[in-house]
Amino acid sequence: MPSRPIPGRTFPAPRGPRPMRRSRYFLPTLKETPAEAQIVSHRLMLRAGLVRQHAAGIYNWLPMGYRVLDNIKRIVEQEQDRTGAIEILMPTIQSAEFWKESGRYEDYGREMLRITDRHEREMLYGPTNEEAVTDIVRQTVKSYKDLPLNLYHIQWKFRDEVRPRFGVMRGREFLMKDGYSFDLDEEAGRRAYHKMFVSYLKTFQRLGLKAIPMRAETGPIGGNLSHEFLILAETGESQVFCHRSLLEKSIPEDVDYDADLEPVVADWTGVYAATDEMHDAAKEAELGDDLITARGIEVGHIFFFNTKYSAPMKAEVVGPDGATGPLYMGSYGIGVSRLVGAIIEASHDEAGIIWPESVAPFRVGLINLKVGDAATDNAAGDLYRRLQAAGVTVLYDDRDERAGVKFADMDLIGLPWQVIVGPKGVAAGQVEVKNRRTGEREEMPLAGVVARFASSH
RNA sequence: CGGGGCGUAGCUCAGCCUGGUAGAGUGCCUGCUUUGGGAGCAGGAUGCCGGAGGUUCGAAUCCUCUCGCCCCGACCA
């Protein structure tokens, strides 16, 4: 009997090669800056064809932007998984019922987008998920043996900002990773907080950013222990003050998330760092020349808030002593869509975006300088196929445009490497490889290109 | 939510004050020339002048209302 696939045991095939020829791709770049954009990341995101505005603070993600978003998301997931956190997906539309239970339905104010369904039930588009996740856990987690637990998801949120601005950096709709830790007691809860603290350092490092943890106000989320992670950029929304040494501080290579991470946290929090609302002016004189005053963009925020939600919502477990008590919770956010803008703020030049390799939409931009010239077409087309076959993400600019147009466009979209194939070089068996960040150019044999990119990653 | 500004071609903007048949640059299409950093020449297409109402012989232009977007402040991941 011929074997047939067993239902339920088949797996989807990996996504095959997608069109990455510029001539057939969807990448609407702009030569001029749309009038609505003020800050550099917003301008570049529009010009480089990453996003288009749908309404105030709400954006369409075009292919290039979506790829970056996806890359950031994957790194966040990997670093979360590494700590033992577990990914779930909660809904965007929530029932008001849970928010009434926690007492936040009234508190949250007009930032919350409230919706009424056809049965006149009060719903809302979730701005965050403490209530939703607490409800899941209280239904299912009954014993200390199920702890510790850390659930996270990456989901679109909505906060009806009075005044959205700065493109995706402060939109109303935004993609956010939010994680929630559940522990038996305060001490275990603090351990969970420390894990997240360290994993955030790792995550932002992998994203090519230097994020500095700073003591923060706890805001409407509530709680008593909280840090914001900020990257320094001229266009940052808040004023920050910190000790110079934080910019040089190293991040542990291999982190054992089962170990006690308190010393790492202590090392990072032992020196002064504060946003303006937490700033102590007396520290300025004390730090002297070691004080750095700058603008910062918040890219992550972690809270430990004890039993703020578990107590009113009765999320309780039985401990080893047989006593029932509320869970100790923390919550941990990373602004995934905001990071796209934040990375650009931190990494660009006059010509355009400079993507860190880890998040770049394509690693290599291949430029055919003379479309229509048989030798050049062959050489570039061959490189395109071989790079793809070697697993290198490559965008091939095969448009019949002038060289200058393609150079300018490639610089604008900021792929880390440009491989430039022209008729003169091809005749000599050479191509040029340009590093977008440093501007360094290197002539190399055509035959060596694939190995160069396939090996170094 | 307070204050200010702007909606005219895909994009950047002029025209509005002082009403009289819709403009420029760029982009797009065609042809020729050009071809390693956003080329040149010639030709071409493109607009409910955000929407509704009003004034007027006639409204992009004046008046009223309305919708949208942007900026400063307060707020915020």
Side-chain angles (χ1 to χ4, degrees):
Chain A
M1 244 179 100
S3 66
R4 277 182 299 183
I6 302 163
R9 292 288 181 84
T10 52
F11 295 91
R15 205 135 53 159
R18 288 186 276 172
M20 293 159 183
R21 288 173 180 270
R22 187 74 161 78
S23 63
R24 288 193 249 136
Y25 202 44
F26 181 54
L27 176 47
T29 54
L30 296 169
K31 203 164 167 179
E32 286 174 286
T33 304
E36 76 240 32
Q38 294 300 311
I39 63 165
V40 64
S41 63
H42 191 193
R43 286 203 284 255
L44 288 174
M45 286 184 76
L46 293 167
R47 286 229 291 135
L50 270 55
V51 293
R52 278 293 133 90
Q53 181 162 309
H54 173 90
I58 302 178
Y59 292 84
N60 296 299
W61 291 80
L62 306 189
M64 289 283 277
Y66 189 44
R67 287 178 73 99
V68 175
L69 195 63
D70 216 42
N71 289 342
I72 294 172
K73 190 176 149 181
R74 192 171 315 112
I75 288 172
V76 170
E77 285 167 342
Q78 285 170 0
E79 292 302 320
Q80 287 291 296
D81 293 349
R82 200 161 286 185
T83 69
I86 302 163
E87 188 167 21
I88 61 175
L89 185 61
M90 291 180 271
T92 53
I93 307 284
Q94 303 179 21
S95 166
E97 170 189 342
F98 300 112
W99 289 73
K100 289 179 176 169
E101 220 181 317
S102 73
R104 280 207 294 180
Y105 194 58
E106 304 308 322
D107 296 351
Y108 221 93
R110 305 240 283 152
E111 280 210 345
M112 179 185 276
L113 181 65
R114 292 154 208 259
I115 303 165
T116 307
D117 73 9
R118 69 196 303 166
H119 301 293
E120 300 293 317
R121 281 186 290 241
E122 293 173 86
M123 312 294 284
L124 56 101
Y125 197 113
T128 175
N129 288 64
E130 278 81 4
E131 284 80 358
V133 76
T134 303
D135 179 56
I136 295 172
V137 170
R138 72 177 169 183
Q139 286 183 47
T140 50
V141 174
K142 301 295 179 190
S143 160
Y144 75 97
K145 293 177 186 171
D146 299 323
L147 304 177
L149 182 63
N150 186 322
L151 299 175
Y152 75 95
H153 78 338
I154 296 178
Q155 178 63 291
W156 292 93
K157 308 281 191 293
F158 197 92
R159 290 184 193 170
D160 198 0
E161 299 279 346
V162 200
R163 192 188 154 209
R165 63 184 119 171
F166 305 150
V168 300
M169 296 248 291
R170 178 134 173 236
R172 294 145 89 202
E173 188 186 51
F174 56 99
L175 188 64
M176 178 171 157
K177 187 287 290 189
D178 45 323
Y180 305 89
S181 64
F182 299 87
D183 288 280
L184 183 63
D185 54 33
E186 176 160 356
E187 196 200 325
R190 284 179 180 273
R191 275 201 298 275
Y193 184 89
H194 292 151
K195 271 192 201 183
M196 281 296 130
F197 187 105
V198 175
S199 86
Y200 272 39
L201 292 174
K202 299 287 286 179
T203 303
F204 294 124
Q205 177 179 253
R206 278 189 66 189
L207 293 170
L209 297 171
K210 191 163 292 245
I212 299 171
M214 304 195 180
R215 277 204 83 96
E217 280 191 304
T218 52
I221 311 269
N224 53 17
L225 177 58
S226 174
H227 288 90
E228 284 179 15
F229 289 75
L230 294 105
I231 62 165
L232 305 186
E234 279 172 33
T235 43
E237 67 232 300
S238 44
Q239 187 76 34
V240 300
F241 307 85
C242 73
H243 193 285
R244 188 174 300 281
S245 66
L246 283 168
L247 294 175
E248 313 301 332
K249 198 170 277 299
S250 66
I251 296 168
E253 265 309 308
D254 285 308
V255 179
D256 174 6
Y257 284 103
D258 292 326
D260 179 13
L261 295 172
E262 214 268 320
V264 181
V265 175
D267 180 40
W268 276 84
T269 55
V271 270
Y272 187 73
T275 58
D276 48 1
E277 63 261 23
M278 297 293 281
H279 182 52
D280 173 7
K283 290 283 183 183
E284 290 184 28
E286 195 179 309
L287 287 174
D289 285 347
D290 287 331
L291 179 79
I292 288 182
T293 305
R295 308 288 301 177
I297 300 169
E298 184 182 344
V299 288
H301 202 157
I302 60 179
F303 304 85
F304 179 63
F305 42 65
N306 274 308
T307 60
K308 180 179 161 100
Y309 299 95
S310 54
M313 293 185 70
K314 299 202 168 43
E316 301 175 328
V317 289
V318 178
D321 56 358
T324 298
L327 288 160
Y328 285 74
M329 294 174 56
S331 81
Y332 314 93
I334 291 179
V336 176
S337 51
R338 156 176 279 205
L339 272 163
V340 179
I343 289 168
I344 296 171
E345 289 294 330
S347 184
H348 67 272
D349 63 14
E350 290 296 299
I353 300 169
I354 304 172
W355 290 115
E357 296 224 13
S358 59
V359 301
F362 296 92
R363 183 142 176 260
V364 171
L366 176 64
I367 300 178
N368 180 341
L369 282 182
K370 191 159 186 177
V371 171
D373 176 80
T376 313
D377 286 350
N378 283 337
D382 184 54
L383 265 184
Y384 169 59
R385 281 183 293 276
R386 284 164 53 222
L387 281 166
Q388 280 208 135
V392 180
T393 55
V394 50
L395 180 68
Y396 174 27
D397 194 344
D398 59 335
R399 293 173 305 166
D400 187 9
E401 289 284 353
R402 296 177 60 81
V405 172
K406 296 197 220 189
F407 285 135
D409 232 35
M410 202 56 93
D411 284 347
L412 173 64
I413 66 179
L415 306 184
W417 297 97
Q418 295 174 13
V419 174
I420 300 157
V421 182
K424 285 173 228 153
V426 168
Q430 298 275 306
V431 296
E432 189 174 289
V433 172
K434 177 181 153 183
N435 180 306
R436 173 65 179 89
R437 186 174 295 278
T438 63
E440 283 172 281
R441 295 148 182 282
E442 178 192 343
E443 289 281 337
M444 68 181 301
L446 240 166
V449 174
V450 174
R452 158 71 179 274
F453 289 104
S455 63
S456 64
H457 205 58

